[in-house]
Amino acid sequence: MVWQGASYLFGKLAVLVTTLVLARLLVPEDFGLVALAMVFITYADSIADLGVAQALVYLPRTAANTRAAMLSALGFAAVLGAGALLGAPVVAALFGEPDVAPLIQLLSISLVAGAVASVPESLMRRDLQFRRLSSAAVLRSVAVGIVSVVLAATGLGAAALVWGTIAGALVYVVATWALVPARPDVRVWRTQRAALGSVLGYGLPAAGGLLLSKLIFDIDYLIIGHQLGAEALGFYTMAFRIPELLILNVFFVVSSVTFPVYSQARSEPERLQRGYLNSVRIQAAYGVSAGLGTAAVAPVLIPVLLGENWVPVVAALVPLAVYAALRSLGAGANDIYKAIGRPGLSVQISLLRLVVLVPTLVLATRWGFAGVAWAQAGAAAVFVVLMQGVALRVLGLRASQLLRAAGPGLTAGAATGGAALLVVLLLPGADVVVLAVAVVAGLAAGGGTLHLLAPTLAREVLRMFRRRTPSRPPAA
């Protein structure tokens, strides 16, 4: 987690700086067009390797499994890439945005690149080689930022963001294959039917769950793009990006670590229970505080960061920050389902969520993109309860244990948001001054509350970081 956290901070700082620069080089419609194209590619990318990346984390590391995973990933990614090339005009016509088609076709390159990188990436993740993975991720972020900004400055428009994404994907392929400690066996012509069945038997449900998660995560983009247009989507995308960078991506980082760790502990139920409750405590403390704090400072944050042209973003940022706080309370449940060998649970819950979410968000478009944001927050509140209820059942935990784990974080989050909001409402002066004072007040209130309610939390986190299990990764 230290290495993944460092990678996240560096990579997302690069993304934030890039976004701030691009906000002044591009117009909201450019961001909206790329968001539409990325929605389609994100769906395809989530299943491009047929779930073999997750299967390699869960299954024993053998040459037979590695070969089967590589064959599956390459074959299906090639099919998806061809589908993106041929189907791009159809997707563009669906949204009434013909300029989206060439962007989707270009991004098909990233599908194949992601599949090529999936095997070395998953093997390093399985063996907890996060220092190497972090190095590759940092290189990717730098490549995306440099290429996007340089091309945007030349007037390339939305295509600048796409070429930046492609450059990052290609750099990541080279980096993962160069950094993997034991070179995987990729002689796919020697793939055995039994190994292929084992990999796909776990990978297909895992891929299905990931696809549904991506669809749920991006369905608001689809609906806003179709119902409200590219400009509204540009505002919404920018609003979503702030809590995504500050909160949601942090838990994606945590998930990349907890899944392989939970998988290693699946034969020790008590250890798995303790680990899950610890993760809930940490994630609630950070996620709720960051979410409610961001919602409180939104009216002064947007003018300072993005300028007056982006003030409409505030209406969506407040509910989306609350949404991110709620999602943090459910983070980790899917990792438990996969770690105990039941990825199908994620599929079932995601299907239910999608059935509820789509009509809710479509109805919410009556109130513009801000209405969609509030609908997202409401749905997140309902499904936090459902996901944690299932996790408690499969782990054999009581609801009172979960509430005790999350309680300090919930209280600290309320203190953070309340203190920051008072400063924003009562302190006169320039936005930048109000923002600085609000952030300090929120951190002081939240940190003080957390220290009173969970004084040993920081020491427990440091103790977990010091626990290391040296191991030499086996040959693939």
Side-chain angles (χ1 to χ4, degrees):
M1 286 179 66
V2 170
W3 280 109
Q4 285 292 88
S7 170
Y8 166 79
L9 289 175
F10 182 89
K12 295 312 173 183
L13 179 62
V15 171
L16 180 59
V17 171
T18 301
T19 300
L20 295 177
V21 174
L22 290 174
R24 287 164 170 79
L25 294 174
L26 304 174
V27 297
E29 187 175 1
D30 290 330
F31 283 92
L33 289 173
V34 175
L36 288 174
M38 286 300 297
V39 164
F40 173 80
I41 293 299
T42 299
Y43 298 154
D45 187 58
S46 66
I47 58 171
D49 66 353
L50 284 180
V52 300
Q54 298 180 73
L56 287 181
V57 172
Y58 179 80
L59 297 172
R61 181 174 177 177
T62 64
N65 286 340
T66 303
R67 291 193 296 265
M70 179 59 76
L71 177 62
S72 302
L74 288 179
F76 196 61
V79 172
L80 285 177
L85 288 173
L86 298 174
V90 177
V91 177
L94 175 65
F95 291 105
E97 295 285 353
D99 291 339
V100 169
L103 302 181
I104 293 175
Q105 290 169 336
L106 282 174
L107 285 168
S108 64
I109 299 172
S110 67
L111 288 177
V112 179
V116 174
S118 64
V119 168
E121 176 191 26
S122 59
L123 292 176
M124 285 190 282
R125 195 177 306 284
R126 182 187 188 279
D127 295 325
L128 307 182
Q129 297 287 325
F130 287 101
R131 181 178 63 179
R132 296 171 182 265
L133 274 175
S134 299
S135 300
V138 166
L139 291 173
R140 176 174 56 191
S141 298
V142 171
V144 171
I146 291 175
V147 173
S148 296
V149 170
V150 169
L151 294 181
T154 65
L156 200 57
L161 296 171
V162 171
W163 281 112
T165 301
I166 294 170
L170 295 176
V171 167
Y172 192 67
V173 170
V174 175
T176 52
W177 280 96
L179 292 170
V180 65
R183 193 58 53 84
D185 185 345
V186 294
R187 294 174 291 179
V188 295
W189 58 89
R190 298 183 61 183
T191 299
Q192 300 169 358
R193 181 177 298 179
L196 191 62
S198 179
V199 167
L200 293 180
Y202 184 94
L204 286 174
L210 186 56
L211 174 62
L212 288 170
S213 296
K214 293 285 188 183
L215 183 58
I216 289 167
F217 197 68
D218 290 330
I219 192 66
D220 47 356
Y221 289 178
L222 281 170
I223 291 172
I224 291 175
H226 186 266
Q227 300 285 101
L228 302 176
E231 184 177 20
L233 182 58
F235 284 126
Y236 184 90
T237 300
M238 190 62 75
F240 197 92
R241 187 157 297 179
I242 293 173
E244 181 183 25
L245 292 174
L246 292 177
I247 304 168
L248 298 177
N249 281 345
V250 172
F251 297 119
F252 292 151
V253 169
V254 173
S255 176
S256 69
V257 178
T258 53
F259 171 41
V261 172
Y262 289 161
S263 295
Q264 292 184 8
R266 63 180 180 266
S267 60
E268 304 173 64
E270 291 184 1
R271 182 183 172 206
L272 191 58
Q273 291 174 347
R274 289 195 303 270
Y276 185 66
L277 291 176
N278 274 334
S279 72
V280 168
R281 295 181 69 194
I282 296 169
Q283 291 171 168
Y286 174 76
V288 177
S289 297
L292 298 185
T294 301
V297 302
V300 291
L301 177 66
I302 293 303
V304 170
L305 283 184
L306 303 179
E308 295 297 329
N309 290 337
W310 293 89
V311 168
V313 166
V314 174
L317 177 56
V318 172
L320 287 175
V322 174
Y323 159 82
L326 291 167
R327 287 295 295 260
S328 72
L329 295 174
N334 282 328
D335 296 324
I336 285 294
Y337 308 153
K338 293 186 296 183
I340 63 174
R342 298 180 66 182
L345 285 175
S346 297
V347 176
Q348 296 172 25
I349 294 175
S350 295
L351 281 173
L352 177 60
R353 185 172 194 147
L354 194 60
V355 168
V356 172
L357 199 57
V358 170
T360 301
L361 297 187
V362 170
L363 179 63
T365 57
R366 296 182 180 182
W367 295 274
F369 60 85
V372 174
W374 280 112
Q376 281 278 43
V382 172
F383 278 90
V384 162
V385 177
L386 175 61
M387 293 182 67
Q388 289 291 14
V390 175
L392 292 177
R393 183 173 180 179
V394 299
L395 286 173
L397 291 168
R398 298 186 303 276
S400 59
Q401 293 174 284
L402 183 70
L403 290 174
R404 283 197 299 270
L410 291 171
T411 308
T416 300
L421 182 60
L422 284 175
V423 172
V424 171
L425 293 177
L426 301 178
L427 182 66
D431 286 343
V432 66
V433 175
V434 175
L435 176 62
V437 175
V439 169
V440 172
L443 288 174
T449 302
L450 195 61
H451 179 71
L452 289 174
L453 297 179
T456 63
L457 181 59
R459 289 196 296 273
E460 290 173 359
V461 172
L462 292 174
R463 186 162 59 248
M464 284 192 293
F465 285 156
R466 286 195 292 265
R467 291 175 184 167
R468 300 176 61 188
T469 307
S471 62
R472 182 181 301 276

